[in-house]
Amino acid sequence: MANYLRDRFEKEPDKLAQAYGASIPFDRRLYRQDIAGSIAHARMLGRQGIISDKEAEFIIMGLVAIRKEIEEGAFVFRTDLEDIHMNIEARLAEKLGDVAGKLHTARSRNDQVAVDVRLFVKETIPGLLEQLSGLQWALLERAEAHKDVILPGYTHLQRAQPVLLAHHLLAYFEMFQRDKERFQDCLRRTDVMPLGSGALAGVPYPLDRQYVAEQLGFSRISENSIDAVSDRDFIVEFQSCASIAMMHLSRLAEELVLWSTAEFGFIEMDDAYATTSSIMPQKKNPDMAELGRGKTGRVYGNLMGILTVLKGLPLSYNRDLQEDKEGLFDTVDTLEASLGVFTGMIKTVKFNKAPMRSAAGSGYILATDLADYLVKKGLPFRQAHGVVAGLVAQAIREGKPLDKLALEEYRKFSPLFGEDVYGITVEASVAGRNVPGGTGPGQVEEALERARKRMTTPDRVGGE
Ligand code: ARG
């Protein structure tokens, strides 16, 4: 069988070098995009009279048949043919004879691989948007079902101020909303059709590049052939978007892990997402959350990988660029799997209302509210902060919670304290934060409605 790659050489390739250079073990995943690109190219060549209509038709029929062979598992992938492009072309030659050789007119593997990977990323993003929306729905529904649950909000992982669980869950809703917007933005810059750039300089044929773009669903054609064959910014952007989304999943994972400890006791993972220990039968481990946290590392690694491949790379195409794919595929697989598992975890996790509420009521979590109380009675906030600091120090010395201090004790620190100081409760603290974006129940109610509206409005990002 023909191997055009070695036409000018006399020697057989070194076996190790051949395996080293072959991308077929991983780029076979691009077969559909590669065939789609070839069909669009062949159709355009026919329409422009660069090859005859009949030849174009033959070639297209051959390509369709090859796609079927691959899908049925009947196709034999050959390492000596290096990559998916040559594997398909060689098979086309087997099937059609010489006319197959006309397909590569006015094309190079450099613009061919660029179109393949762009198509792949373009086809991947909508699925990710849908998955991110699925996770947002899960968060939203759990938030709606737990509107009255209060837990401590933390800063420095110290109990800070009481908040609604719904408010906490909606924080993640916002993160995944931004992730969708970022992927949409990445999609816009990926949506550029590079065919027609040839090896790097363009091609000496009267192509209709716009027609190729239309057939493949691209909204624009590339402006500069040198850039088009060497640009992988869209992969860097994709890896960045994915890294940020994984970072968000990892933060969520960390809270799920912490909250499922006996020390917190805020949640219980559903059995379907928990594992047990091979030695300690009492254990219920949040392995899926831990794995998501761990897998974030490999996605960051893939981002660093592509950035480093591109750093210092001279124009235009260099074989280094072949290293763009494995990390890309790995990131797609990792992110898709993680989103699926995390959505399931959020849908099924059990929130333990009582431990959350009791943690929110303990310690000196209402100290800020006490300072705000004095502010409302006319004391400047800084002074109020000082008064409450003294009061809390005293209460800690005596081992008493704030609501167990007698009014006289309060009044030793400020004459502004009155009976109504006992009206400062966890519930009142939450209710008082009635500012847009705050945790007051009325605000959270409106935030839930806005979130629902965002999710159901078509043509908003990711609104399905
Ligand atoms: N396997 C190659 C890649 O992934 C395809 C392009 C090869 N081009 C070349 N001039 N050797 O980048």
Coordinates of all heavy atoms in Angstrom, one line a residue, residues 23 27 83 85 109-110 113 317 319 321-322 325, ligand 1:
S23 N 0.9 9.8 15.6 CA -0.2 10.3 16.4 C -1.4 9.5 16.3 O -2.4 9.7 17.0 CB -0.4 11.8 16.0 OG -0.7 11.9 14.6
D27 N -4.9 10.5 17.6 CA -5.7 11.4 16.8 C -6.8 10.6 15.9 O -7.6 11.2 15.2 CB -4.8 12.3 15.9 CG -4.1 11.6 14.8 OD1 -4.3 10.4 14.6 OD2 -3.2 12.3 14.2
D83 N -0.6 9.3 11.0 CA -1.8 10.0 11.7 C -3.1 9.7 11.0 O -3.1 8.9 10.0 CB -1.5 11.5 11.7 CG -1.2 12.1 10.3 OD1 -1.7 11.5 9.3 OD2 -0.5 13.1 10.2
H85 N -4.9 11.5 9.2 CA -5.1 12.1 7.9 C -4.6 11.1 6.8 O -5.2 10.8 5.8 CB -4.3 13.4 7.7 CG -4.4 14.2 9.0 ND1 -5.5 14.7 9.5 CD2 -3.4 14.6 9.8 CE1 -5.3 15.4 10.6 NE2 -4.0 15.4 10.8
R109 N -1.5 18.9 5.4 CA -1.9 18.4 6.7 C -1.9 19.5 7.7 O -2.6 19.3 8.8 CB -1.0 17.2 7.1 CG -1.5 15.9 6.5 CD -0.7 14.7 7.1 NE 0.7 14.8 6.8 CZ 1.7 14.2 7.5 NH1 1.4 13.5 8.5 NH2 3.0 14.4 7.1
N110 N -1.2 20.5 7.4 CA -1.1 21.6 8.4 C -2.4 22.3 8.6 O -2.9 22.6 9.7 CB 0.0 22.6 8.1 CG 1.4 21.9 8.1 OD1 1.5 20.7 8.5 ND2 2.4 22.6 7.6
V113 N -5.1 19.5 9.9 CA -5.2 19.2 11.3 C -5.8 20.4 12.1 O -6.5 20.2 13.1 CB -3.8 18.7 11.9 CG1 -2.8 19.9 12.0 CG2 -4.0 18.1 13.3
Y317 N 3.9 26.2 11.2 CA 3.7 24.8 11.7 C 5.0 24.2 12.2 O 6.0 24.3 11.5 CB 3.0 23.9 10.7 CG 2.8 22.5 11.3 CD1 1.7 22.3 12.1 CD2 3.7 21.5 11.2 CE1 1.5 21.0 12.7 CE2 3.5 20.3 11.8 CZ 2.4 20.0 12.5 OH 2.2 18.8 13.1
R319 N 6.3 20.4 14.3 CA 5.7 19.2 14.7 C 5.3 19.1 16.2 O 4.5 18.3 16.7 CB 6.6 18.0 14.4 CG 6.1 16.6 14.5 CD 4.9 16.4 13.5 NE 4.4 15.0 13.7 CZ 4.9 14.0 13.0 NH1 5.9 14.1 12.2 NH2 4.4 12.8 13.2
L321 N 3.5 20.9 17.6 CA 2.0 21.1 17.7 C 1.2 19.8 17.8 O 0.1 19.9 18.3 CB 1.5 22.0 16.5 CG 2.1 23.4 16.5 CD1 1.6 24.1 15.2 CD2 1.6 24.2 17.7
Q322 N 1.8 18.7 17.4 CA 1.1 17.5 17.6 C 0.8 17.2 19.0 O -0.1 16.4 19.4 CB 2.0 16.4 16.9 CG 1.4 15.0 17.0 CD 2.1 14.0 16.1 OE1 2.1 14.2 14.8 NE2 2.7 13.0 16.6
K325 N -2.8 17.5 21.4 CA -4.0 16.7 21.4 C -4.3 15.9 22.6 O -5.4 15.8 23.1 CB -4.1 15.8 20.1 CG -4.3 16.6 18.8 CD -4.1 15.7 17.6 CE -3.7 16.5 16.4 NZ -2.5 17.3 16.6
Ligands
ARG1 N1 -0.1 14.6 13.2 C1 0.1 16.0 12.9 C2 -0.3 16.9 14.0 O1 -1.0 16.5 14.8 C3 -0.6 16.4 11.6 C4 0.1 17.5 10.9 C5 1.4 17.0 10.3 N2 2.0 17.9 9.5 C6 3.2 17.8 9.1 N3 3.7 18.8 8.4 N4 4.0 16.8 9.5 O2 0.1 18.0 14.1

